[in-house]
Amino acid sequence: MFLRRHRFSTSIDAKAEAGTVTRARARAAVRTWGTAALTVALLAPTAAAGAPADAAAATAPGGAAAQPRAAFSVLPLDDYGDMVVDGVHGRLFFSDPVRGAVVVTDFDGVVLTQVTGLAGAAQLALSADAATLYAALPGADTVAAISTATHEVVARYATGVGTAPRTLAVSGERLWFGYGTEGAGDIGSVDLTTASPVVTLGQATADNWYSAPALATSEAAPGVLVVGERDVSPATLAVYDVRTATARRTAERRLHDAGDTQDLTFTADGKNVILASGSPYHHQVLRTSDLADAGRYPAAAYPNAVAVAADGAVAAGVDSRYGSDVFMFKPGASLSHGVFEFASGDSSPLLLPAGLGWAPDNRRLFAVTRETRQGAPVILRVLTTPGKAATEAVLHIPSTTPSGTRSLTGRLASDLPFPAGSTVTVTRLDPGATKPVKLPPTTLAADETFALTDRATTRGYITYTVSFAGDALHLPSSTSIEVYMP
């Protein structure tokens, strides 16, 4: 038998900005592989599936993503509905369904004005020429048209008593909206080509949408409207030809592993759509022609937002309390090249659904966040250069065999995969020694695990340290544990 005591340490990239990661997050990382964490477990061969009950453990805080500090602004919102980026005027628009308002800011988050009297303001949409902002007002059974030059309401289109329009999309000279209560969802349109715009309901009555569905259009795919089920699981997606005043369904697919569409957007070329829903734990890519699988962006659990830049870059957001919040991808890439993490110290802000948008220069990404605590404000974050994935470390030392041999096994985990050939370093500091003994370099296996053995014959406190040096995508991390040999 031997006694154990713990010594915690960590090595953090000098460029890391935002404090440390709490032990609660480390524990969460152990429970769920795929969070932004490095987890190293030193286990006996007989306990490869988990640490023995009497094993000592040490958890070291890891560094937050190495990136410039993001500018942020507190928004005067009681709740968040939607965000639209107006690249022509350099403006951001945010809807507040509780206050019935649209807040207007510049790209730095400075509040310029507020448009009030917009009952239940939900989703927003911008006209192709950026002259008009449309706001769905379920509380008034209306869609409002707001001038982006004067920020005044210039028109209101009544959609009918009890219709409660919630979602919007612009295609050519027509505005499409999702409406209806639970169990009675449908699609309507506003024909803007006439002096007195005409509202048409019941464009998809036969398709049995559960509630007002999510809508998406793109100038790169004229006359194509993609519709996604909200509020239910599994979800149905459909494609409509909307080149005329009547929507005609051209494709439909039931996604058995997806539900409750949180965000839906086209790729830059208009050939695919990217879906963010609570499950599966990646952002699905579907062809707009027939909704067949066209790839995926493997971010992390609980996708809830996606934004595509003019150059095709993809920002894939997730509802993550413990890991990275936004993953950056080049068009069509299967691996992320950088992440954003909002947590700092004990703060754990969450990305809100459909809370991402790109500036037209592709150099700034806007993210809307909020902490879960009661009364927490809604925060706009202006993100620039993505950073490295945060890392964390956990050590377990089991009982030593009578001969003094220890079999050490471990595993690395991160939001971003490790490249082939990645290594960890294990050192042993004997009692009274000033210089640790470096054990043979250990390369990760294909499943990101490693294994090695060591035999210590000295008595007293022996310190083992496991270190990951970091790489282009990951921050370094290390942790130590002391084992007393009587």
Side-chain angles (χ1 to χ4, degrees):
M1 297 296 292
F2 55 89
L3 303 177
R4 307 176 181 92
R5 71 183 183 190
H6 314 297
R7 183 169 63 204
F8 302 102
S9 65
T10 185
S11 175
I12 301 176
D13 191 321
K15 296 181 180 179
E17 283 284 346
T20 60
V21 182
T22 64
R23 295 183 186 180
R25 291 185 57 203
R27 290 193 293 270
V30 176
R31 291 193 298 269
T32 307
W33 295 104
T35 59
L38 159 65
T39 302
V40 182
L42 303 186
L43 306 174
T46 56
D54 66 340
T59 303
Q67 60 191 41
R69 185 181 301 276
F72 68 91
S73 175
V74 176
L75 298 175
L77 302 176
D78 287 347
D79 198 6
Y80 169 73
D82 193 21
M83 171 178 63
V84 159
V85 180
D86 178 359
V88 173
H89 302 97
R91 299 289 182 260
L92 301 174
F93 299 94
F94 305 89
S95 61
D96 184 338
V98 172
R99 293 178 52 239
V102 168
V103 174
V104 186
T105 76
D106 62 16
F107 279 179
D108 293 322
V110 176
V111 177
L112 303 177
T113 189
Q114 299 185 44
V115 185
T116 57
L118 305 174
Q123 191 168 15
L124 307 172
L126 197 63
S127 62
D129 60 4
T132 307
L133 177 76
Y134 300 101
L137 310 181
D141 296 325
T142 299
V143 175
I146 302 168
S147 167
T148 55
T150 65
H151 304 136
E152 295 179 350
V153 176
V154 295
R156 292 177 184 265
Y157 310 122
T159 56
V161 176
T163 52
R166 294 185 178 278
T167 59
L168 296 174
V170 175
S171 179
E173 295 298 320
R174 291 182 177 83
L175 174 66
W176 296 86
F177 59 92
Y179 70 93
T181 56
E182 291 186 1
D186 211 327
I187 302 170
S189 65
V190 182
D191 187 342
L192 303 173
T193 61
T194 62
S196 299
V198 177
V199 174
T200 303
L201 299 178
Q203 295 270 20
T205 301
D207 296 333
N208 298 315
W209 295 103
Y210 176 74
S211 61
L215 307 178
T217 57
S218 170
E219 292 185 26
V224 177
L225 174 70
V226 177
V227 181
E229 195 101 57
R230 299 168 60 247
D231 306 320
V232 295
S233 181
T236 296
L237 259 69
V239 180
Y240 292 85
D241 182 339
V242 293
R243 289 174 292 181
T244 67
T246 302
R248 180 175 63 87
R249 191 182 68 197
T250 60
E252 183 180 32
R253 180 180 176 186
R254 188 172 180 82
L255 299 173
H256 294 284
D257 57 349
D260 190 13
T261 302
Q262 299 287 301
D263 205 1
L264 184 66
T265 192
F266 279 75
T267 53
D269 59 10
K271 296 180 179 179
N272 302 310
V273 290
I274 306 174
L275 172 65
S277 58
S279 64
Y281 293 166
H282 57 260
H283 289 62
Q284 297 171 281
V285 184
L286 307 173
R287 284 202 307 250
T288 54
S289 58
D290 57 5
L291 295 177
D293 291 333
R296 63 176 60 180
Y297 289 104
Y302 313 123
N304 70 343
V306 59
V308 176
D311 65 357
V314 174
V318 298
D319 180 359
S320 172
R321 186 185 297 268
Y322 300 111
S324 299
D325 300 277
V326 181
F327 297 75
M328 307 301 296
F329 295 89
K330 295 178 181 179
S334 59
L335 297 177
S336 172
H337 65 268
V339 298
F340 290 103
E341 184 171 341
F342 303 143
S344 176
D346 292 330
S347 172
S348 184
L350 301 179
L351 178 68
L352 295 178
L356 292 175
W358 285 96
D361 61 5
N362 304 330
R363 296 181 179 178
R364 283 171 292 182
L365 179 67
F366 306 109
V368 185
T369 68
R370 191 176 202 172
E371 292 186 33
T372 56
R373 62 182 174 83
Q374 186 74 21
V378 176
I379 302 292
L380 169 67
R381 297 171 187 270
V382 184
L383 312 175
T384 53
T385 306
K388 299 180 180 182
T391 60
E392 294 176 300
V394 176
L395 285 178
H396 293 282
I397 301 294
S399 301
T400 304
T401 63
S403 65
T405 299
R406 297 184 182 87
S407 295
L408 310 178
T409 64
R411 181 175 181 176
L412 298 182
S414 173
D415 282 335
L416 303 184
F418 295 93
S422 295
T423 62
V424 294
T425 299
V426 180
T427 63
R428 185 189 74 242
L429 183 64
D430 294 326
T434 59
K435 185 177 180 179
V437 176
K438 187 175 181 180
L439 303 184
T442 305
T443 302
L444 297 184
D447 61 355
E448 300 181 342
T449 62
F450 66 86
L452 72 160
T453 60
D454 180 48
R455 187 171 187 275
T457 59
T458 56
R459 305 296 181 183
Y461 283 108
I462 300 173
T463 302
Y464 283 98
T465 299
V466 174
S467 301
F468 172 61
D471 56 30
L473 297 180
H474 306 87
L475 289 172
S477 184
S478 68
T479 191
S480 300
I481 192 167
E482 292 182 332
V483 181
Y484 182 74
M485 297 296 295

